[in-house]
Amino acid sequence: IAGITQAPTSQILAAGRRMTLRCTQDMRHNAMYWYRQDLGLGLRLIHYSNTAGTTGKGEVPDGYSVSRANTDDFPLTLASAVPSQTSVYFCASSRLAGEVYEQFFGPGTRLTVL
Amino acid sequence: GQNIDQPTEMTATEGAIVQINCTYQTSGFNGLFWYQQHAGEAPTFLSYNVLDGLEEKGRFSSFLSRSKGYSYLLLKELQMKDSASYLCAPLNSNYQLIWGAGTKLIIKP
């Protein structure tokens, strides 16, 4: 693989169910990010990780959790999905945090919560 | 607070020039990015400005005025494949990108 992969591509989920969105990068980037994108709004940061073993809260973290056990993987978990979490989720990475590097994005996961 | 303003939608003709404006207010500033996003796809990097002035990269140029909190993306010799959303994203003092809602550019033949 080259770049960032996300799985699943799309998912329909019943409210109250638990769901993990997967993200893997092979660029050895230290920083990783989870965004959600909703119609008419800019990308909003959910959680981020500056390096393996550390995570931080972004603008809209409620209802989501992340982990960063290693450099490559950064899964996002919805503990109990609600309809307002219907969105397109993008994972991104950049070489280093705290400096100016472009972010590279995965193809996205389209999630519908009913 | 932090705020990004850019037009929701613009229409231009193939072969023409279009300028997409962005005004911003952020907590600190470490430069500004422009990304392109085709419908149903991920954003991809176009340009980065940290100093005032114009940065040219082929058919695309990006301008920054830090004192005015203003940037624009200039697209020349428009092609149908340029139909996409263009996202303005300044980098704040915490090196976090603050994203605008994007400008949907429609190119007509």
Side-chain angles (χ1 to χ4, degrees):
Chain A
I1 56 174
I4 301 180
T5 59
Q6 292 184 237
T9 302
S10 65
Q11 182 76 43
I12 298 174
L13 189 66
R17 297 296 294 270
R18 180 184 179 89
M19 175 75 191
T20 295
L21 307 185
R22 300 185 297 280
C23 174
T24 299
Q25 54 103 357
D26 66 353
M27 297 177 283
R28 308 304 295 172
H29 284 175
N30 281 291
M32 297 188 74
Y33 314 86
W34 273 106
Y35 292 97
R36 60 178 289 173
Q37 187 174 41
D38 302 291
L39 199 63
L41 298 177
L43 289 159
R44 292 184 290 169
L45 183 65
I46 304 170
H47 284 286
Y48 64 92
S49 170
N50 289 339
T51 190
T54 70
T55 62
K57 293 181 180 180
E59 179 187 356
V60 289
D62 293 344
Y64 306 94
S65 63
V66 292
S67 61
R68 188 87 183 278
N70 56 60
T71 297
D72 298 346
D73 301 300
F74 191 43
L76 175 74
T77 297
L78 289 68
S80 179
V82 295
S84 61
Q85 292 178 312
T86 293
S87 188
V88 180
Y89 291 85
F90 287 104
C91 179
S93 72
S94 63
R95 186 178 171 191
L96 291 171
E99 297 186 32
V100 182
Y101 287 100
E102 68 177 276
Q103 291 186 11
F104 294 84
F105 285 78
T109 293
R110 186 174 295 275
L111 182 67
T112 302
V113 183
L114 302 176
Chain B
Q2 303 189 107
N3 188 55
I4 315 299
D5 283 317
Q6 46 179 139
T8 302
E9 187 174 296
M10 298 180 71
T11 301
T13 304
E14 191 177 14
I17 299 173
V18 70
Q19 177 175 312
I20 301 173
N21 295 323
C22 170
T23 58
Y24 62 89
Q25 285 182 304
T26 54
S27 302
F29 182 76
N30 281 300
L32 187 142
F33 286 83
W34 283 94
Y35 278 75
Q36 180 189 58
Q37 186 177 24
H38 285 100
E41 298 183 8
T44 55
F45 169 77
L46 280 179
S47 69
Y48 170 73
N49 294 65
V50 65
L51 300 176
D52 289 352
L54 190 67
E55 292 278 344
E56 296 185 76
K57 189 186 291 187
R59 294 190 298 115
F60 292 5
S61 303
S62 54
F63 172 84
L64 177 67
S65 169
R66 290 171 296 173
S67 63
K68 295 182 179 178
Y70 168 70
S71 175
Y72 69 72
L73 183 68
L74 190 72
L75 292 74
K76 303 175 185 175
E77 302 170 15
L78 287 169
Q79 302 175 10
M80 297 304 293
K81 67 179 182 179
D82 297 330
S83 292
S85 289
Y86 292 87
L87 314 180
C88 170
L91 198 63
N92 70 9
S93 58
N94 292 326
Y95 290 92
Q96 288 185 344
L97 286 172
I98 309 301
W99 296 86
T103 298
K104 182 178 180 181
L105 178 63
I106 299 168
I107 310 296
K108 295 186 174 180

